[in-house]
């Protein structure tokens, strides 16, 4: 925590804890369950994408070419949600921890955190591992980080 006298610090920390709770529920609160006779290893193989921009490109194609009207809302929610839902983290982290004001430290810590979340989703079968989620989540956090640095008055940063 910072050494500054900030009267909003307890509220910001509380807000961050609420945000983390909501994100944990969104990321791990739904179970995909076992699919008809598949082994754990088969489930893992079906729930992994290591090709950068594959999901993004496919969802963007569905949205722009309207190839499947029923999938368009899912594609928009997936792409937008993976960015928008992580913007608050990028804004809150540098407000709470002074060390997170350095972009490289911030980016490394966020990248590692998202990687761990993706791996937990994969191995718990409560989601999938998609490198595109990592890319979109980091982009969202970076937008929040940039917003923090552009729009937080200098007096609140020190």
């Amino acid at each position: 925590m910072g050494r500054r006298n900030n009267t909003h610090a307890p509220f910001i920390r509380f807000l961050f804890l609420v945000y983390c709770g909501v994100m944990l529920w969104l990321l791990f609160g739904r179970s995909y369950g076992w699919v008809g006779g598949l082994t754990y290893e088969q489930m893992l193989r079906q729930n992994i994408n290591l090709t950068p921009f594959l999901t993004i490109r496919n969802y963007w194609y569905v949205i722009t070419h309207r190839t499947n009207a029923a999938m368009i809302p899912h594609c928009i929610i997936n792409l937008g949600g993976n960015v928008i839902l992580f913007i608050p983290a990028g804004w809150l982290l540098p407000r709470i921890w002074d060390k997170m004001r350095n972009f490289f430290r911030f980016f490394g810590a966020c990248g590692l955190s998202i990687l761990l979340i993706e791996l937990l989703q994969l191995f718990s079968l409560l989601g999938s591992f998609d490198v595109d989620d990592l890319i979109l989540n980091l982009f969202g956090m970076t937008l929040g980080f940039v917003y923090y640095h552009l729009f937080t008055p200098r007096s609140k940063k020190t």
Side-chain angles (χ1 to χ4, degrees), residues 19-32 82 85-86 113-114 117-118 120-122 124-128 133 137:
Y19 169 78
C20 288
V22 169
M23 291 302 290
L24 284 172
W25 178 78
L26 288 172
L27 294 168
F28 296 101
R30 314 177 297 283
S31 174
Y32 293 95
N82 273 310
L85 289 174
F86 284 84
S113 298
I114 295 167
I117 288 169
E118 289 292 317
L120 278 170
Q121 285 182 320
L122 175 65
S124 68
L125 298 179
L126 294 174
S128 62
D133 287 351
N137 298 163

Side-chain angles (χ1 to χ4, degrees), residues 1-6 9 94-98 101 148 155-158:
M1 303 291 158
R3 293 191 251 316
R4 61 196 180 289
N5 183 12
N6 186 349
R95 289 187 66 105
I96 295 171
W97 290 290
D98 292 343
R101 293 181 186 163
Y148 167 80
S155 62
K156 290 188 179 183
K157 290 182 185 176
T158 55

Side-chain angles (χ1 to χ4, degrees), residues 33-54:
W34 294 94
V35 177
L38 294 179
T39 67
Y40 181 75
E41 291 78 16
Q42 290 169 325
M43 290 288 291
L44 289 180
R45 274 188 252 128
Q46 286 186 348
N47 288 320
I48 191 164
N49 169 36
L50 298 175
T51 307
F53 301 104
L54 177 66

Side-chain angles (χ1 to χ4, degrees), residues 61-142:
Y61 185 86
V62 169
I63 293 167
T64 58
H65 291 87
R66 304 194 181 282
T67 56
N68 184 341
M71 281 295 293
I72 291 173
H74 171 75
C75 295
I76 292 170
I77 290 168
N78 187 289
L79 293 176
N82 273 310
V83 174
I84 292 168
L85 289 174
F86 284 84
I87 292 173
W91 180 77
L92 288 166
L93 284 171
R95 289 187 66 105
I96 295 171
W97 290 290
D98 292 343
K99 291 181 179 185
M100 289 294 114
R101 293 181 186 163
N102 174 285
F103 178 75
F104 297 106
R105 185 173 285 156
F106 169 85
F107 197 80
C110 291
L112 183 60
S113 298
I114 295 167
L115 179 62
L116 291 174
I117 288 169
E118 289 292 317
L119 288 170
L120 278 170
Q121 285 182 320
L122 175 65
F123 291 116
S124 68
L125 298 179
L126 294 174
S128 62
F129 182 99
D130 191 336
V131 70
D132 289 345
D133 287 351
L134 191 141
I135 292 167
L136 293 169
N137 298 163
L138 270 175
F139 180 66
M141 291 177 116
T142 302

